[in-house]
Amino acid sequence: MAKLFWLEAVLPLGIIAGMLCVMGNAQYYIHKAAHGRPKHVGNDMWDVAMERRDKKIVEQYSSAGN
């Protein structure tokens, strides 16, 4: 029975892991409900600015070629 001392840490660890999963999924579903699509992971303001810039450059290039 003395070798099962680690067992008393399993319940709190499970609770903490479960709460982290609940919080992460809550963020996912709230963002999906607000924006209609899941959030792209690792997409910050810089990435958004670069996407806009690239889209503008492609549009300018395609309109100049016509």
Side-chain angles (χ1 to χ4, degrees), residues 13-27:
L13 186 62
I15 292 170
I16 292 169
M19 288 298 118
L20 286 172
C21 292
V22 167
M23 289 187 295
N25 283 321
Q27 286 181 346

Side-chain angles (χ1 to χ4, degrees), residues 1-10:
M1 190 76 176
K3 294 189 180 228
L4 296 178
F5 60 89
W6 57 270
L7 192 59
E8 65 187 41
V10 172

Side-chain angles (χ1 to χ4, degrees), residues 49-63:
M50 292 299 104
E51 282 181 26
R52 285 189 195 134
R53 182 201 63 154
D54 294 344
K55 186 177 178 183
K56 188 169 84 171
I57 290 171
V58 168
E59 287 175 357
Q60 287 175 352
Y61 180 76
S62 64
S63 66

